[in-house]
Amino acid sequence: MNPKHTLILGIETSCDETAAAVVKDGCHILSNLVSSQVELHARYGGVVPEIASRHHLSMINPLIEEALKEAGLEFKDLQALAVSHGPGLVGALLVGVATAKALAYALRLPLIAVNHLEAHLYANHLGAEKINYPAVNLIVSGGHTELLLIEEPGKTISLGHTRDDAAGEAFDKVARVLELGYPGGPLIDKLAREGNPSAVDLPRAWLDQDSRFDFSFSGLKTAVINHLQRARRRNEEVNPPDLAASFQEALIDVLVEKTIAAARTCRARAVLLSGGVAANSHLRLRMRERLLKALPEVALHFPPPELCTDNAAMIAAAAYPRYLKGEFAPLDLNAHPGLALLS
Ligand code: KG4
Ligand code: ZN
């Protein structure tokens, strides 16, 4: 490998995916492995932190070995190690942080601490597309819903966030009441394709002018629960695809319109989607259609579905600018479960 290239090994264990990846120069993926724990948690209807930590512990070393092998590299070829140190589940994060610290010490390599949310944003850099700034970024994951203005790389301003449930959380909770399984997002995405999005009238929380870039999804979730309970009381049939499609439509309406309003207000040149919910086929489609109509000069970028959900390539990508600036973490780095995006 050309020594002028920067090879970073990324490690991700913040929730229920154990992941290791090697990325060259912040944008070329050489390997990207994810060991999903979905089946382990599905029977409990959500992530069980203790089970997540134990699985990370047994998977992380073999996964790192495999990531290097797939990239055709050895430890000695690496320039740095990057790890997600928050936000997330503390016991889960600690597995990745301890592994990265041990490797950094043993291999005498710099350690780079990455904010998991910031890394979701960097998933958009793992492609050939050039991004023009200023850009508006919608991060929609299981734990967060954030609308950001990126004036230029590294200069980010928060425009708004959710007041209650995150978008992914709303998908997961509604899937649970519809008894679809876990995680709910992909299941609702699939079921909604067979349903009528106008079948059930559900609320959209636009909020007042001062909070126009904030979100609230708990009212929508309650409306779905009320609809189901009312139908049960009256002995009426519920059509799950119709209800799933109507819920998805209501949530996506709000995400799309607020993102477009933000792009217009900030005179953005690009809109970026990231986080697990950005894998949603209807969100991708609707955002493209509406943007083309409302702001045709604004480019839309979203990562392929496997880079929207948790992965380690995005961790290595986010570490690259830090590597160039020499922003390294000390070996007493700790996990920060509540780490904010703009801290
Ligand atoms: O970013 P992510 O993998 O993990 C967190 O950092 O939270 O996001 C996981 C969330 C889950 O709530 C999951 O249901 C949702 O992303 N999700 C989706 C889809 N794929 C994953 N939501 C809607 N449609 C999808 N296709
Ligand atoms: Zn995530």
Side-chain angles (χ1 to χ4, degrees), residues 12 14 116-117 120 141-142 275-276 308-310 314:
E12 158 62 38
S14 66
H116 176 90
L117 281 180
H120 271 301
S141 72
C308 289
T309 45
D310 288 349
M314 69 182 193

Side-chain angles (χ1 to χ4, degrees), residues 157-170:
I157 296 167
S158 170
L159 297 172
H161 53 85
T162 183
R163 298 282 189 86
D164 38 59
D165 291 354
E169 193 180 353

